[in-house]
Amino acid sequence: MTIKFAHLADAHLGYEQYRLPYRAEEFRKALEEAIRKAVGEKVDFILIAGDLFHRSNPSPQTIKEAMDILEIPKKEKIPVFAIEGNHDRTQKKISAYHLLESLGLVHLIGFSEERKENRYQTTEKVRGRLLVKGVFEKGGKSVEIYGTKYMSAAWFERNRLSDYFRPQGDAVLMLHQGIREMMEKLHLETQRDYFEISLSDLPRGFMYYAMGHIHRRWITSTESGIVAYPGSLQRWDFGDYELRYRWDGLKFRKVAGEEKGFFIVEDFKPRFVRLDVRPFYDIRIKGDEETVKKELRKLAPEISKEAFLRVSLEWERPFDVAFLHDVFSVRYLHIRTKFGRRKLSREKGTKAEEFFTPMELKIIRLLGEKDFDDYEEVIRLILEGEREEEAGGKEKKRKEEKKVREKPEEKRKEAPEDKKKEKPKKSEKRPEKKSDLMLWLSKR
Ligand SMILES: [Mn+2]
């Protein structure tokens, strides 16, 4: 007899995406569809790996939506195990999950203030803390469900998961965290705030790592077991597209995104189950007004009226984009414009040194350093730079550098005039520089 369970995450109940109340209803529907499908598959239990709610203080309506949906598995005697995510955990003792737990709709997993001993939960004491784990038994087989709510990067600096989670038999670990390798692989944000752990931080000995937090689907296997993110139930943003149309200069190239859904896990192997969700399309085009208008009109019939659409325009010269509303009759249209990247640097062999003064370069490097907080040093550099400038000896050199930086070719001829205009009068020079700078820097 095999154990079969559903693993979902990031339902974000109550999320009025783009301030559209009907999106909250669509997020609700997605969760209901997922739960109904799981129940239809006759799973033994359901895992919700965090961010069931969009906020830690969901509205009464949102709480009721969760209650109504979780009533479905309860009626079928299918237990639901859950952890809190970063969106819906609370620093207070009681979160919305505790409310659901009191109603017997979920069983919370993780560190706890009190012992829980019942058919589906048991408590152990690890390093002086109470740790509640889920237990599921069927036909002589049993699975332990370990896990914790979302923990901050600061927690991971002082703690290791392997200090707390040491499975004996068949076990699953449920976490709501970002994993570095996933972020890199999917080219998502790789700033430190977006992941707290690496694959190597996962404690060994679990058959399956039921992950939440990152809204994209990802499966990888480690020495001990499979690590799986089902992704959010609904599309999260335009990076989470169903289809992207990328202009290659002559025509659009279609890039398929991924479907949204959750996992049915049998024998600790995940199988993806898709959900019917709102389509998101992402169009990127570059060119002059005529080309853009012509090509987008040609493309328009392909775009579903029900879609959420983002059009990113890259142009040399701005033009009125109001026509897009006539071309695309979609549910939601997001227009984004930007100027084509000026081809400075590499092609012409220009180096950073030619754009910035040595002082500016030093500052840029400093500010870019990890854990930067030495504002005094930056102020010292700026003041030093200005003193040098005033000293005049280097003034000529600096002006030349400045000229290069302001590049645009046509302006070069006018440079002498510009110089006159821009030359700051001595009296205009920022007088109380130090305090102003402190203020500005501290607001960074
Ligand atoms: Mn989330």
Side-chain angles (χ1 to χ4, degrees):
M1 199 183 287
T2 61
I3 300 270
K4 181 176 179 181
F5 61 92
H7 164 206
L8 59 99
D10 297 282
H12 286 270
L13 278 185
Y15 181 29
E16 295 189 355
Q17 196 180 32
Y18 307 125
R19 298 192 182 167
L20 300 168
Y22 69 84
R23 277 301 278 163
E25 170 55 17
E26 291 175 6
F27 274 81
R28 188 203 66 76
K29 264 192 200 145
L31 177 65
E32 184 180 338
E33 192 190 340
I35 294 288
R36 284 196 188 282
K37 285 191 165 166
V39 170
E41 290 256 1
K42 299 204 185 314
V43 295
D44 294 310
F45 56 88
I46 296 171
L47 301 181
I48 299 181
D51 285 359
L52 169 61
F53 298 106
H54 187 57
R55 299 189 182 290
S56 60
N57 54 349
S59 70
Q61 181 186 330
T62 304
I63 295 170
K64 181 162 189 306
E65 288 170 359
M67 285 165 54
D68 290 347
I69 292 171
L70 293 170
E71 204 49 63
I72 303 167
K74 193 189 174 190
K75 266 188 204 142
E76 303 297 322
K77 299 192 166 48
I78 298 171
V80 177
F81 299 97
I83 55 169
E84 294 163 39
N86 57 317
H87 275 262
D88 54 11
R89 72 179 169 152
T90 167
Q91 301 304 335
K92 294 173 185 155
K93 270 189 187 170
I94 304 298
S95 75
Y97 286 82
H98 292 88
L99 210 69
L100 298 176
E101 188 169 52
S102 293
L103 296 167
L105 296 169
V106 301
H107 306 287
L108 267 179
I109 302 302
F111 298 109
S112 172
E113 300 278 323
E114 56 190 44
R115 288 190 167 272
K116 289 173 192 170
E117 297 292 341
N118 57 57
R119 184 171 169 196
Y120 295 119
Q121 287 165 311
T122 182
T123 308
E124 23 182 84
K125 197 160 193 178
V126 192
R127 309 183 121 225
R129 298 194 65 181
L130 295 178
L131 189 59
V132 174
K133 66 178 181 186
V135 279
F136 182 83
E137 283 167 10
K138 183 177 102 176
K141 276 201 173 183
S142 81
V143 187
E144 292 177 319
I145 300 134
Y146 284 85
T148 168
K149 68 177 179 185
Y150 170 83
M151 293 296 194
S152 66
W155 188 87
F156 283 97
E157 271 166 30
R158 281 173 280 115
N159 297 276
R160 281 182 311 180
L161 291 170
S162 52
D163 292 337
Y164 294 101
F165 303 106
R166 291 176 182 158
Q168 307 295 318
D170 285 359
V172 169
L173 183 64
M174 186 157 48
L175 297 173
H176 191 90
Q177 308 290 158
I179 293 180
R180 185 171 52 83
E181 286 86 347
M182 172 185 191
M183 310 303 283
E184 287 168 0
K185 198 94 187 175
L186 300 187
H187 306 290
L188 299 171
E189 294 278 359
T190 46
Q191 294 168 36
R192 202 163 154 275
D193 330 19
Y194 288 83
F195 60 84
E196 301 79 25
I197 55 173
S198 298
L199 281 175
S200 60
D201 294 321
L202 291 173
R204 302 272 178 104
F206 291 91
M207 312 285 281
Y208 186 86
Y209 297 81
M211 305 297 297
H213 187 45
I214 309 302
H215 292 171
R216 308 284 277 278
R217 192 158 88 242
W218 195 60
I219 300 176
T220 191
S221 50
T222 66
E223 273 174 50
S224 72
I226 285 175
V227 179
Y229 284 85
S232 54
L233 296 187
Q234 279 277 354
R235 296 196 183 277
W236 190 249
D237 55 26
F238 287 99
D240 193 7
Y241 55 83
E242 178 178 320
L243 209 53
R244 170 175 279 170
Y245 293 87
R246 214 169 41 202
W247 183 247
D248 71 358
L250 291 169
K251 59 178 184 309
F252 283 109
R253 287 185 181 280
K254 279 198 229 181
V255 185
E258 61 189 29
E259 300 192 303
K260 305 302 286 183
F262 68 102
F263 294 127
I264 294 285
V265 185
E266 258 179 290
D267 253 341
F268 302 102
K269 287 181 196 72
R271 161 167 59 87
F272 178 68
V273 179
R274 84 176 277 280
L275 295 172
D276 200 15
V277 298
R278 169 81 54 193
F280 275 47
Y281 292 107
D282 190 35
I283 299 177
R284 302 178 160 204
I285 185 166
K286 187 177 179 177
D288 58 25
E289 184 169 0
E290 197 189 332
T291 316
V292 167
K293 282 188 170 169
K294 193 179 83 195
E295 294 300 333
L296 290 182
R297 285 209 172 93
K298 238 162 58 186
L299 187 64
E302 279 190 40
I303 308 298
S304 155
K305 287 186 170 23
E306 292 304 314
F308 278 30
L309 173 66
R310 177 173 72 181
V311 179
S312 303
L313 278 175
E314 191 177 323
W315 55 26
E316 305 279 314
R317 190 168 301 169
F319 48 86
D320 190 357
V321 294
F323 76 96
L324 286 168
H325 291 278
D326 301 325
V327 174
F328 297 106
S329 51
V330 289
R331 284 298 284 272
Y332 179 84
L333 177 63
H334 177 79
I335 303 166
R336 196 169 62 157
T337 61
K338 69 167 184 179
F339 283 95
R341 223 174 269 164
R342 255 198 258 149
K343 287 175 193 158
L344 345 128
S345 58
R346 288 180 200 159
E347 282 160 53
K348 289 182 185 165
T350 311
K351 290 175 186 140
E353 285 74 12
E354 294 174 39
F355 280 87
F356 301 105
T357 64
M359 181 266 288
E360 286 166 337
L361 279 173
K362 256 190 230 169
I363 293 171
I364 290 166
R365 262 176 223 132
L366 261 177
L367 292 173
E369 272 174 23
K370 216 169 125 187
D371 306 325
F372 169 82
D373 64 354
D374 195 1
Y375 298 113
E376 290 283 350
E377 173 64 7
V378 171
I379 291 163
R380 196 188 59 72
L381 281 168
I382 292 171
L383 293 176
E384 193 177 274
E386 301 233 343
R387 265 199 306 279
E388 279 175 10
E389 201 178 323
E390 275 166 25
K394 293 185 181 173
E395 190 164 325
K396 203 174 154 232
K397 187 171 172 265
R398 188 185 149 81
K399 285 234 168 98
E400 274 163 12
E401 282 163 356
K402 206 170 170 184
K403 208 162 64 187
V404 181
R405 267 187 293 149
E406 288 170 355
K407 213 143 190 189
E409 232 84 341
E410 322 86 70
K411 276 199 178 163
R412 274 210 155 164
K413 285 171 237 151
E414 300 162 23
E417 237 185 45
D418 274 15
K419 217 188 274 181
K420 264 180 246 158
K421 265 186 248 160
E422 278 179 17
K423 188 170 182 180
K425 287 177 209 151
K426 269 215 161 156
S427 58
E428 278 176 7
K429 285 216 158 183
R430 293 167 286 174
E432 284 156 319
K433 229 164 308 156
K434 189 165 173 173
S435 56
D436 284 355
L437 278 168
M438 265 310 254
L439 195 69
W440 175 73
L441 285 165
S442 64
K443 281 185 190 156
R444 244 174 31 105

